[in-house]
Amino acid sequence: MTEQRDSAAGPGADFVSRVIDVVDSIPAGMVMSYGDVAAAVGSRAARAVGQVMARYGHDLPWWRVIRSSGEPPLCHEQRALEHYRDEHTPLLWRDDGDYRINLRQARYPG
């Protein structure tokens, strides 16, 4: 994690570090929305959290940060599903085969 923080120098580096810390703290089988992560660092900038995840998320448990609808990260649904199954994350299935995370059970802290 130190390498990520060191590479995030400049204005906003503190925001990046705080987002990374929050995402790192989400336990297996639990999730937070982008807005939840933003609120946890004292911000309302859910989109900025998304930018941090896009840039630094590859070394983080990125699948644990989801859309507010309970849907997994866009364009990563299949890869995320493997992690959700491994971690026993509560899921809700639709008739069309799509899924979303059961936020009542999986939202952290909840």
Side-chain angles (χ1 to χ4, degrees):
M1 244 358 84
T2 304
E3 180 180 323
Q4 285 181 330
R5 288 189 188 104
D6 292 344
S7 66
D14 185 49
F15 179 81
V16 171
S17 294
R18 290 183 293 149
V19 167
I20 289 170
D21 288 344
V22 169
V23 173
D24 262 344
S25 75
I26 305 169
M30 303 296 285
V31 298
M32 292 177 83
S33 71
Y34 293 96
D36 293 339
V37 174
V41 301
S43 173
R44 295 178 60 200
R47 289 181 190 223
V49 170
Q51 292 172 345
V52 170
M53 294 304 295
R55 183 162 184 184
Y56 303 102
H58 60 279
D59 288 333
L60 297 171
W62 54 266
W63 58 93
R64 296 180 191 155
V65 182
I66 64 169
R67 295 179 273 174
S68 61
S69 63
E71 294 172 305
L74 193 59
C75 300
H76 298 288
E77 296 87 353
Q78 207 51 44
R79 282 185 40 215
L81 181 58
E82 295 171 24
H83 292 287
Y84 299 140
R85 285 181 169 154
D86 287 345
E87 295 181 358
H88 305 286
T89 306
L91 303 175
L92 298 170
W93 292 91
R94 297 183 185 136
D95 291 338
D96 63 5
D98 284 342
Y99 71 94
R100 63 184 176 89
I101 290 77
N102 184 334
L103 288 174
R104 282 191 175 179
Q105 295 179 359
R107 181 173 253 147
Y108 179 79

